[in-house]
Each structure stands twice: as structure tokens, then as C-alpha cells.
Amino acid sequence: MSELDPTYYLYLSALLFSAGLFVVVSKRNVIFVLIGIELILNGANLLLATFSRINLNAQIFAIFSIVLTVCEVAIALAILLNVYRKYGTSNLDELQEISNE
Amino acid sequence: MIQIIQYFFLVLALIGIGVIVKTSNVVHAAYALALVLVSLAGIYVLLNAELLAIVQILLYAGGVVILLMFGVMMTNRGKTTKLISQSKNSFLALILSSAVFTGLVYLFSNMPEVASGLNQSKSQIQEIGISFLTEHIVAFELIAFVLLVALVGAAYLAKISSNE
């Protein structure tokens, strides 16, 4: 019945953060970049949840950050929808070329 | 027994992360993100953060993933059936992210006094509810207002352009 060492969760949150960073840097689709941002924020939330055993305020902070993430995704997808209607692509490199013209 | 469940959720999260990093299909990545989010909710339950797990399931697995799916549907009106994302600078990104990972693991493995404090645990859902309505009441009301404004703003942003 022994519990796992909680430091595994810290390592998992580090992995979530770096995998999200990899996705944000390497993938070229806007929705993929949003998925990477979700991974990064989930890494931060897992860290906060692990440390909420020491200080309960961490858990409250994590709940606030989840709500703010939902706002961010809703706004980002509305903006993406407008960009797609105007330029017909959701590829970051093509959008960069359009804005350079 | 509890250790087996913990390993189960850890492995589930690892599989989801692997799929997201490896695939170039956006829909597959969104499903894998749902897998990661649900397994993280299980981990939150095991960490005695039940309220956080419920919020995670409701808002992330129920809200964000559905929103991403709608985004995929609405930005894929061409003749193709799959939304494939190109990758660029994969090697540089790998170097960057593994450097960050190594640094974070080094940081986490070098704080023994914090890790020993992590072992005490009991469910504290009542204290969270009380402190939401006493200590953090301003932040609580503000976050509700921010959520309302963001959702109305998102609906407005998506609506205006359809009239053009």
C-alpha cells in the first residue's frame, strides 16, 4: 500500500513542460501550437498540485490558472477563425509570408 | 495497489505525450491531449486534490479539447480529409526542450527537504471552499468576470467576420 515517491510527479511535470516547448517550437500549425501551450500549462498545474501538499494556496492558484487557460483558448480560437477566413491558411510560416508582403 | 494505479496514470500520460510529440495529424494530437488531461486528473485525485481533478475534467477534457476539435473542423474546409501539420527546426527544438528537461530534473532532484515534506497528505476540499469565499474572494469574483468577458468576446469575435 506504499505510495509512490511524489518526485515522480515533479519529473512528469518537467517532461510535460519540455514536450510542450518542443511542440510549440517545431510544429507549424496554429492548433498544434495551442496544444503545446496546453501541455506547458498542465506541467505547471501538476507542479502546483504536487506542492499543494505543503501549501494549500498552490491548489487554488492551479484552479485559477485552469480557468484562465480556458479563456485563452477560447479567444485564441476565435482569432484563428478570423485569420483563417481572411487568409485561408492556419500555417504559421504562410501567415508570416503574408504579413511580410 | 495504489502504486499500480499511480504507475498506470503515469504511463498513460507518457503515452499521450509521446503521441503528441510524434504525430503530425492535428486530430490525433487533440485526442492524445485528451488522454494526457484525463490521466492528469487521475494523478490529481491520487495527490488528494479532488477539486482540482473535477475542474480539470470539466474545463480541460470537456471544454478545451472540444474547442480545439471545433478549431480543427473550422480551419479544414479544403479537399483534404486530414489536417497535417508540417514540422520545422525539429532538431533545434529537440536540443532546446531536452536542455530545459535536464535543467528541471536537476533542479527537482536537488531539493530533498521539499520532497520529504511532500509525503504528508489529506483531503482538504473544505478548507479550499472556505478560503475561496474568504481569503481569495476578490480573485474568485474577478476570475468569474474574466471568464464571462472572454467567452462573450470570443463569440463576438467569431460572429462579426461572418457578416462580412
Side-chain angles (χ1 to χ4, degrees), chain A residues 6 10 44-63, chain B residues 43-44 46-52 114 117-124 127-128:
Chain A
L10 302 184
N45 282 342
L46 180 59
L47 199 63
L48 285 168
T50 312
F51 281 110
S52 75
R53 292 176 164 208
I54 296 173
N55 188 343
L56 200 60
N57 282 333
Q59 206 170 320
I60 292 162
F61 196 82
I63 292 170
Chain B
I43 287 173
Y44 292 157
L46 294 173
L47 284 168
N48 285 314
E50 291 95 351
L51 186 66
L52 193 57
V114 174
L118 288 174
N119 281 317
Q120 65 221 341
S121 64
K122 62 181 198 304
S123 181
Q124 292 155 318
E127 285 102 278
I128 292 173

Side-chain angles (χ1 to χ4, degrees), chain A residues 11-55:
Chain A
Y11 296 149
L12 180 65
S13 87
L15 184 67
L16 276 168
F17 189 93
S18 46
L21 191 67
F22 176 83
V23 169
V24 168
V25 173
S26 71
K27 308 286 185 186
R28 293 291 91 192
N29 190 292
V30 179
I31 296 173
F32 231 126
V33 173
L34 277 176
I35 290 174
I37 293 172
E38 298 304 313
L39 283 183
I40 290 178
L41 288 163
N42 269 292
N45 282 342
L46 180 59
L47 199 63
L48 285 168
T50 312
F51 281 110
S52 75
R53 292 176 164 208
I54 296 173
N55 188 343

Side-chain angles (χ1 to χ4, degrees), chain A residues 4-20 39-40 42-48 50-51, chain B residues 7 9-11 13-14 17 40 43 47 97-98 100-112 114-116 118:
Chain A
L4 208 59
D5 188 7
T7 42
Y8 280 101
Y9 297 139
L10 302 184
Y11 296 149
L12 180 65
S13 87
L15 184 67
L16 276 168
F17 189 93
S18 46
L39 283 183
I40 290 178
N42 269 292
N45 282 342
L46 180 59
L47 199 63
L48 285 168
T50 312
F51 281 110
Chain B
Y7 275 120
F9 282 123
L10 279 176
V11 169
L14 288 179
I17 295 169
L40 278 181
I43 287 173
L47 284 168
S97 57
S98 49
V100 170
F101 180 69
T102 316
L104 284 174
V105 166
Y106 179 73
L107 184 70
F108 291 150
S109 57
N110 277 316
M111 39 185 193
V114 174
S116 65
L118 288 174

